[in-house]
Amino acid sequence: MPQVNLFISYSHKDKEQYIPELLSYVNEQNCSKINIWYDEKISPGNEWDDAIKSKLNTADIVLLLLSQSFLMSKYVRENELTVAISRHKAGECRVIPIFIRKCFLDNYQDIKGLQGLPRDMSFLSDMGEEKWGHYTEIVQQLNDIAHEIETNRNISKSIDDNNDKAGSAKAIEQLCNKRKIFLSIPDSEEGKKKRRDLIIQVEGKIKYEGWPYEVVPGILEANELYKKSEKEISDCLSTLISDSLYSIHIVTSENDLISGVNKLQYDIARNHRDDAFFKSIIWLLNADIKSRLEKEVTMNPITTGNDYDNIFELIKSLDADKEKKLSLLKKSFSEEKKIYMFYDFSKDHNSDLRIKLKSKIEENENLAVRFSMPNASLEKEKEELDKCEGGCIFYGATDPQWFVYRQSILLDAGYTLSKAVCVDEPEIDMKIQRDVSKNAFMIIKGRTDLDYGVKNFLERLKNKV
């Protein structure tokens, strides 16, 4: 029975067209783990207002079908939208705007601040036949969120039960919850100035860009720190660093990390490297001193020069590595194993063979197929593949260059346990057989041995998981 509850909030003026369109995609067949509810499901004799409030307050996901009629509905604004946004901010549910018809959102900053679909805030009413691809994306996003909700519940349960996965679960919790960066308090005047300036830069990024990290200690807290005893300073630094995901150490000379408070800060940070993901960043204000530093110091992530953007870019890169680490840790808490299917959405989405391939894979319990979205970048496809245990390229009507790019991505995927290429036409099969990389893949001859090929592909997945 589905454990993830979905509530659809909409204007009844959009009911005739957009509810049937949405439900032709978002349904029990395509979203098997989601319990889909909207007000047409209220049983005869029940109080409709009570039923709506009850379902909204127990929803894990809320879809807002946005139109001007939706925004103008007093009942929607006062009873559904307000509650949904409040629960979203409290972390009790996920709210997803669906842009169905043009509307004026300038007075709805809470909605504009949410990631909606389509992602570029285009409206489905203006898209013609292209809208069906976006409905497909809505299905995939909902299934992803449902999977994430179930996985997070398993993580929380592991911590509560203190079972054999509790260590990994706590590591995940730390990676998700740590939102502080320790910034060292340097001795030099140059270092102190750069510290103040960086904190001001961070405050601007938090205010205007929603940057997720707070820098500690702040300017006032850093000034107060030197009024404490040596032990109090050490204890305070230890607490600040242990509560942080990253530490940044401002270095103005090769002697900065050899003695004094600079060394104390760095030594405390160094002792935290065995934590789930903790990283020490060395910020060299003068790049020339790099060659004079100890090798152990230069093995840390390093940024050089006075450009603050270098710091933010380095943290962005570390965040990407953190997300990969999180994805790997979470896999053991997932009851569902994912297969990523590369295919050319514009040419092969409606291919009977591709649909059969997907269905054949998903006949197996707890296997789900993710697939390329329309106009997805190669980088995005790489990110999606990293979240999956298996990868399969469907090579149908698309051109050879498209295939070569995806083959390269799948070849390089280090954590993908089982890899396959499903070919549609005999001449494509011959080309694949001549490819020097063919031994890296299971070859599924779609027209002749789909069942056998999928079985071998999944057996390899099963044996390596």
Side-chain angles (χ1 to χ4, degrees):
M1 182 177 178
Q3 298 298 310
V4 176
N5 296 322
L6 170 69
F7 181 98
I8 303 174
S9 178
Y10 67 101
S11 162
H12 277 250
K13 291 184 179 180
D14 299 315
K15 173 183 173 182
E16 185 173 338
Q17 178 178 355
Y18 292 100
I19 288 294
E21 282 186 2
L22 179 68
L23 294 179
S24 68
Y25 283 81
V26 180
N27 51 48
E28 292 180 359
Q29 180 181 356
N30 293 335
C31 305
S32 60
K33 295 190 176 183
I34 299 176
N35 180 32
I36 302 160
W37 194 91
Y38 62 112
D39 60 13
E40 288 293 302
K41 291 194 173 185
I42 298 174
S43 301
N46 285 346
E47 290 286 342
W48 64 272
D49 187 58
D50 290 344
I52 288 173
K53 289 177 179 176
S54 173
K55 293 296 182 181
L56 182 56
N57 279 311
T58 56
D60 300 298
I61 307 170
V62 178
L63 296 188
L64 308 178
L65 272 55
L66 294 184
S67 69
Q68 198 61 31
S69 299
F70 176 92
L71 298 177
M72 292 299 293
S73 169
K74 183 178 180 181
Y75 184 86
V76 167
R77 289 198 314 273
E78 295 182 356
N79 295 281
E80 296 182 13
L81 182 57
T82 302
V83 173
I85 295 296
S86 176
R87 294 190 67 233
H88 176 89
K89 289 180 177 180
E92 298 171 357
C93 72
R94 294 278 288 273
V95 175
I96 306 172
I98 306 295
F99 302 101
I100 60 170
R101 288 196 297 127
K102 283 185 177 178
C103 53
F104 189 72
L105 287 169
D106 284 7
N107 297 323
Y108 295 89
Q109 294 304 312
D110 284 338
I111 295 177
K112 291 180 71 174
L114 299 171
Q115 177 61 64
L117 295 169
R119 290 183 175 274
D120 61 357
M121 295 181 67
S122 298
F123 289 90
L124 296 171
S125 58
D126 297 337
M127 291 186 177
E129 292 300 309
E130 289 183 9
K131 68 182 176 182
W132 307 119
H134 289 284
Y135 276 118
T136 300
E137 182 178 10
I138 290 169
V139 170
Q140 182 145 287
Q141 290 295 323
L142 291 178
N143 283 329
D144 283 351
I145 293 171
H147 174 257
E148 182 182 340
I149 289 170
E150 286 194 331
T151 300
N152 289 339
R153 286 172 178 168
N154 290 338
I155 292 167
S156 296
K157 188 175 187 302
S158 181
I159 293 174
D160 292 341
D161 295 346
N162 198 27
N163 59 27
D164 58 345
K165 293 183 180 180
S168 295
K170 290 174 183 176
I172 291 169
E173 191 176 57
Q174 281 191 12
L175 284 174
C176 292
N177 294 337
K178 285 193 174 182
R179 286 290 180 264
K180 293 181 181 179
I181 296 176
F182 175 81
L183 180 59
S184 71
I185 308 168
D187 288 331
S188 71
E189 289 304 314
E190 180 187 9
K192 289 177 181 178
K193 180 180 183 303
K194 289 300 175 185
R195 185 181 199 278
R196 287 194 298 271
D197 290 347
L198 180 60
I199 289 176
I200 293 170
Q201 294 282 328
V202 167
E203 288 173 350
K205 287 184 76 68
I206 292 172
K207 182 175 181 179
Y208 297 109
E209 300 178 26
W211 206 58
Y213 294 110
E214 172 193 1
V215 168
V216 295
I219 295 172
L220 294 177
E221 291 81 4
N223 292 336
E224 290 295 317
L225 190 65
Y226 280 110
K227 299 177 183 179
K228 301 177 183 291
S229 68
E230 184 175 333
K231 184 178 185 308
E232 288 174 329
I233 291 173
S234 179
D235 290 345
C236 184
L237 291 172
S238 294
T239 299
L240 289 171
I241 291 173
S242 65
D243 288 343
S244 301
L245 185 60
Y246 307 123
S247 64
I248 302 174
H249 303 272
I250 303 173
V251 179
T252 59
S253 80
E254 62 267 34
N255 297 318
D256 277 2
L257 301 180
I258 294 176
S259 62
V261 177
N262 284 326
K263 181 178 187 299
L264 174 63
Q265 294 170 95
Y266 181 65
D267 286 346
I268 293 172
R270 185 170 52 186
N271 290 333
H272 280 277
R273 287 184 194 163
D274 292 333
D275 288 1
F277 190 74
F278 184 87
K279 301 288 184 184
S280 296
I281 300 169
I282 307 299
W283 184 13
L284 304 178
L285 299 186
N286 182 353
D288 293 338
I289 66 175
K290 182 177 179 180
S291 61
R292 302 193 294 274
L293 293 173
E294 294 181 6
K295 183 178 180 181
E296 189 271 342
V297 173
T298 58
M299 288 175 66
N300 293 279
I302 286 183
T303 182
T304 59
N306 294 301
D307 189 344
Y308 303 107
D309 285 343
N310 292 339
I311 296 285
F312 297 124
E313 283 300 314
L314 181 53
I315 292 173
K316 182 179 178 181
S317 175
L318 291 174
D319 278 349
D321 291 339
K322 179 196 74 173
E323 290 304 316
K324 289 180 181 179
K325 171 86 171 179
L326 266 173
S327 179
L328 288 172
L329 286 170
K330 285 184 175 182
K331 282 181 179 179
S332 64
F333 294 92
S334 171
E335 297 174 1
E336 177 182 271
K337 304 301 179 186
K338 294 183 180 180
I339 309 295
Y340 191 75
M341 181 186 292
F342 295 93
Y343 69 91
D344 188 330
F345 194 94
S346 63
K347 295 180 180 178
D348 289 322
H349 181 65
N350 293 319
S351 163
D352 288 341
L353 180 56
R354 186 206 66 81
I355 294 169
K356 286 179 181 177
L357 174 65
K358 179 178 181 293
S359 298
K360 184 61 63 177
I361 292 172
E362 291 184 335
E363 284 177 3
N364 296 265
E365 189 176 0
N366 293 329
L367 281 180
V369 174
R370 292 187 50 77
F371 47 82
S372 311
M373 285 291 102
N375 304 314
S377 66
L378 291 173
E379 189 59 38
K380 182 63 177 176
E381 290 188 320
K382 286 180 184 178
E383 291 177 11
E384 296 299 330
L385 178 63
D386 283 342
K387 302 173 185 176
C388 299
E389 284 76 17
C392 180
I393 302 173
F394 178 77
Y395 191 3
T398 192
D399 61 88
Q401 187 177 32
W402 180 97
F403 170 75
V404 169
Y405 286 143
R406 275 68 187 179
Q407 177 186 244
S408 177
I409 292 173
L410 191 52
L411 275 172
D412 293 341
Y415 298 111
T416 305
L417 300 174
S418 187
K419 307 175 183 183
V421 174
C422 179
V423 293
D424 195 356
E425 301 294 341
E427 57 266 29
I428 298 177
D429 181 36
M430 291 175 64
K431 179 186 180 303
I432 294 289
Q433 292 300 329
R434 292 195 300 268
D435 195 303
V436 294
S437 62
K438 66 178 182 180
N439 293 328
F441 302 106
M442 300 288 300
I443 306 299
I444 302 173
K445 298 178 183 179
R447 297 293 177 185
T448 57
D449 68 347
L450 184 64
D451 291 355
Y452 178 76
V454 169
K455 179 182 177 182
N456 284 344
F457 169 60
L458 297 182
E459 278 296 322
R460 181 178 292 188
L461 178 72
K462 181 180 177 181
N463 292 336
K464 292 189 176 182
V465 171

